[in-house]
Amino acid sequence: MSDSGEFVQSLERGLSIIRAFTRDRPQLTLSDAAAVTGLTRATARRFLMTLETLGYATTDGKNWRLTARVLDLGHSYLASLGLPEIVAAHLEGIAAAVHESASAAVLDGGDIVYVARVESRKIMRVQITVGTRFPASVTSMGRVLLADLDPAEAERILSSSERSIFTPHTKTSVSDLMAEVSRVRESGYSLVDQELEMGLRSVAVPVRDRSGRVVAAINVSTSAAGSPRETLENVLPALRVAQTAIDEELRSLVR
Amino acid sequence: MSDSGEFVQSLERGLSIIRAFTRDRPQLTLSDAAAVTGLTRATARRFLMTLETLGYATTDGKNWRLTARVLDLGHSYLASLGLPEIVAAHLEGIAAAVHESASAAVLDGGDIVYVARVESRKIMRVQITVGTRFPASVTSMGRVLLADLDPAEAERILSSSERSIFTPHTKTSVSDLMAEVSRVRESGYSLVDQELEMGLRSVAVPVRDRSGRVVAAINVSTSAAGSPRETLENVLPALRVAQTAIDEELRSLVR
DNA sequence: GCCAATTGTTCGTATAGCGAACATACGTTC
DNA sequence: GAACGTATGTTCGCTATACGAACAATTGGC
């Protein structure tokens, strides 16, 4: 890079090596790693050796894998967020009250990222863990988080999102989504019905810090049996109770 | 570093910046970051700016924070491990059967690192999430994981561990711990009673891949009410059921 | 044994990254 | 408003870090 005043290329490269490991590529040869990241073999090798030295990767002499130490990096984020500790008990309370899965997520770009999860029963096809991402536009928590943004900012995020079609119910029009976000802003909750996955319905509410800013959303996900109205009546009370309790804990934090 | 043939100092520095954010230091000024990592201010600034450019950190102009994107790094590990997806349903089954929290962990150095968790009721004082670490020597999952190692390797790990005293029951002598690990190897399970925290008891069993190698441990943690024998009778059957099912799934994996 | 593919190693070189020093900004105190 | 202490922003000459082409060595399949 022409101006090395503010960017460290080696850090970008190193992080790209870590990200090269996926569910479909749980282990990589040196040549794989070079190919996936676009680095030269010698460069990729140096980064893998460095990750090994630091304890983040291991090799059997041919195949490289990440180690659990990589979780420390994400743990730095979760620890610094402070939120998962606070919401965990409340999500359990919700799950116990309504017998459904409850989660918390934050907004990151055009995605929501799960930061806490209590699974009561499996509705979704994909496994959700801390770190899992979904598009904000088609999730109840995403719409709640977008609702707290300045409308121009929300529209910018929606416009620049990919807005894939997941089901025949998926809303993709920016104007439809903005109208929905406005409704969420008015009502204080979001209900999304089979837009991300057929058979899946979820309801979310925001949680706020002492400044009133929305720092996360919490939700309940349930099957799409029964009417949306019945679902709302079943789960919104428990979400509201948890929301109030979490808001109070966030307000009382010395930070 | 004198020989730049295999180590990338900039990657180490960048990762140390990420790790500088903790529960006690959720946000850092530039000078904080420099102080914590031992880097010069200009260097620390370059790394923070690079993390910001890549989406891993954000600043309000004075204080820096990590973003949820950092969770992607840990998620790379979890996705590549494959295990959390497999164990999740089984941990829920255990939790439902015995009405206690169930977890899975892997060994990393002298620690266990949680990779999946289903919380039924809160026994421990600290919040456990994916990425949380505890010393292997004083945990049921740790002893199960040590039991699968070559005894010389297990002894090396125990000898080089800090072996803190957490309760009056904590075993710290390497020979006592090695005897315990031998018992675990014979019996196929570990029960740890109030060695990590008073009032906490846990039982763990190993899960193996198709080569027979132990890839993780699963456990149930419960309160130390009643006798250890009663606890064992209550929870070991459910653990064994889950262990068998997980072993079968791991055997059938094409990897 | 041969060969292709892959990994390991070298080393001259370029530049990425460094950091001391200075400039600027900010908040507090008087 | 001025002065001061603290913190951050910026610069740029320097050099050590990191690079990568090229060659060496290893591995596995046939």
Side-chain angles (χ1 to χ4, degrees):
Chain A
M1 184 163 281
S2 58
D3 179 4
S4 67
E6 348 190 281
F7 192 79
V8 184
Q9 179 181 60
S10 296
L11 177 55
E12 174 181 39
R13 286 177 166 181
L15 296 174
S16 76
I17 292 281
I18 294 176
R19 298 178 69 99
F21 292 86
T22 63
R23 185 180 187 284
D24 299 326
R25 290 192 300 266
Q27 57 181 37
L28 296 166
T29 63
L30 171 54
S31 298
D32 287 337
V36 168
T37 57
L39 300 171
T40 64
R41 227 183 11 88
T43 301
R45 184 169 188 272
R46 259 194 302 280
F47 283 104
L48 286 167
M49 301 281 295
T50 303
L51 289 171
E52 182 184 31
T53 300
L54 298 174
Y56 295 96
T58 187
T59 182
D60 60 9
K62 180 176 169 62
N63 288 299
W64 292 85
R65 285 183 168 271
L66 294 177
T67 70
R69 190 169 162 82
V70 176
L71 287 177
D72 287 2
L73 301 174
H75 209 251
S76 284
Y77 166 72
L78 289 173
S80 67
L81 190 60
L83 186 73
E85 288 187 327
I86 292 171
V87 303
H90 300 289
L91 295 182
E92 284 154 31
I94 297 170
V98 301
H99 304 296
E100 304 288 5
S101 302
S103 307
V106 299
L107 191 65
D108 187 63
D111 291 332
I112 57 165
V113 184
Y114 282 74
V115 296
R117 172 90 168 160
V118 172
E119 192 131 4
S120 181
R121 68 187 176 106
K122 187 82 174 283
I123 307 290
M124 295 185 74
R125 269 192 279 278
V126 299
Q127 181 62 37
I128 293 177
T129 68
V130 166
T132 296
R133 288 177 173 262
F134 287 116
S137 60
V138 294
T139 54
S140 60
M141 293 194 284
R143 290 177 183 176
V144 152
L145 294 165
L146 289 168
D148 189 59
L149 299 181
D150 174 65
E153 173 69 4
E155 182 155 7
R156 190 189 65 72
I157 290 176
L158 288 170
S159 297
S160 56
S161 296
E162 193 183 323
R163 299 195 308 286
S164 303
I165 299 177
F166 295 92
T167 77
H169 305 287
T170 309
K171 291 187 182 73
T172 56
S173 150
V174 171
S175 58
D176 284 347
L177 289 166
M178 285 303 295
E180 182 62 24
V181 164
S182 290
R183 275 193 280 280
V184 169
R185 189 179 296 123
E186 290 305 315
S187 65
Y189 69 84
S190 169
L191 185 148
V192 169
D193 200 15
Q194 303 189 90
E195 291 194 51
L196 178 63
E197 189 173 300
M198 292 304 296
L200 173 72
R201 181 178 293 153
S202 71
V203 183
V205 296
V207 294
R208 299 170 188 279
D209 66 10
R210 62 156 42 121
S211 70
R213 192 169 64 86
V214 170
V215 294
I218 56 175
N219 85 341
V220 167
S221 43
T222 176
S223 81
S227 73
R229 190 161 178 276
E230 286 170 331
T231 297
L232 209 51
E233 286 172 0
N234 285 337
V235 307
L236 195 53
L239 278 169
R240 294 289 194 202
V241 166
Q243 176 188 39
T244 301
I246 295 169
D247 284 356
E248 280 179 26
E249 276 189 63
L250 290 173
R251 267 198 290 279
S252 70
L253 277 180
V254 177
R255 305 218 92 163
Chain B
M1 184 164 282
S2 58
D3 178 6
S4 65
E6 352 190 277
F7 192 79
V8 184
Q9 180 181 58
S10 295
L11 177 55
E12 174 182 38
R13 287 178 164 182
L15 295 174
S16 77
I17 291 280
I18 294 176
R19 298 179 72 99
F21 291 87
T22 63
R23 186 179 188 284
D24 298 327
R25 290 193 299 269
Q27 57 181 38
L28 296 168
T29 63
L30 171 56
S31 298
D32 288 337
V36 168
T37 56
L39 300 171
T40 64
R41 229 185 7 89
T43 301
R45 182 169 190 273
R46 261 194 299 280
F47 282 104
L48 286 168
M49 300 282 295
T50 302
L51 288 170
E52 182 184 31
T53 299
L54 298 173
Y56 294 97
T58 188
T59 182
D60 60 7
K62 181 176 169 62
N63 286 300
W64 292 85
R65 286 182 167 270
L66 294 177
T67 69
R69 191 169 160 83
V70 176
L71 288 176
D72 288 1
L73 302 173
H75 209 250
S76 284
Y77 166 72
L78 289 174
S80 68
L81 188 60
L83 186 72
E85 286 185 329
I86 291 171
V87 302
H90 299 289
L91 295 183
E92 285 154 30
I94 297 169
V98 300
H99 304 297
E100 304 286 7
S101 303
S103 306
V106 299
L107 192 65
D108 186 63
D111 291 333
I112 59 165
V113 184
Y114 282 74
V115 296
R117 171 91 167 160
V118 173
E119 192 130 5
S120 180
R121 66 187 179 104
K122 187 83 172 280
I123 307 290
M124 294 186 74
R125 268 194 279 280
V126 300
Q127 181 63 37
I128 293 176
T129 67
V130 166
T132 295
R133 287 176 173 264
F134 285 117
S137 60
V138 293
T139 53
S140 59
M141 293 195 283
R143 290 178 183 177
V144 151
L145 294 165
L146 290 168
D148 189 60
L149 300 180
D150 174 67
E153 173 69 4
E155 184 157 4
R156 190 188 64 71
I157 289 177
L158 288 170
S159 297
S160 56
S161 297
E162 191 182 326
R163 298 194 310 286
S164 301
I165 297 176
F166 295 93
T167 78
H169 304 288
T170 310
K171 292 188 181 69
T172 55
S173 150
V174 171
S175 57
D176 284 347
L177 290 164
M178 285 302 295
E180 182 61 24
V181 164
S182 290
R183 274 193 280 281
V184 170
R185 189 178 294 121
E186 290 305 317
S187 64
Y189 69 86
S190 169
L191 186 149
V192 169
D193 200 16
Q194 303 187 94
E195 291 195 48
L196 178 63
E197 190 174 299
M198 291 306 293
L200 174 72
R201 181 178 292 153
S202 72
V203 183
V205 295
V207 296
R208 299 170 189 279
D209 66 12
R210 64 163 34 133
S211 70
R213 193 170 61 86
V214 172
V215 294
I218 56 175
N219 86 339
V220 167
S221 43
T222 176
S223 80
S227 73
R229 190 162 178 274
E230 285 169 332
T231 298
L232 209 52
E233 284 171 2
N234 285 337
V235 307
L236 195 53
L239 278 170
R240 292 291 194 202
V241 165
Q243 175 188 41
T244 301
I246 294 168
D247 284 356
E248 281 179 25
E249 276 189 63
L250 290 173
R251 268 197 292 277
S252 71
L253 278 180
V254 177
R255 305 220 92 163

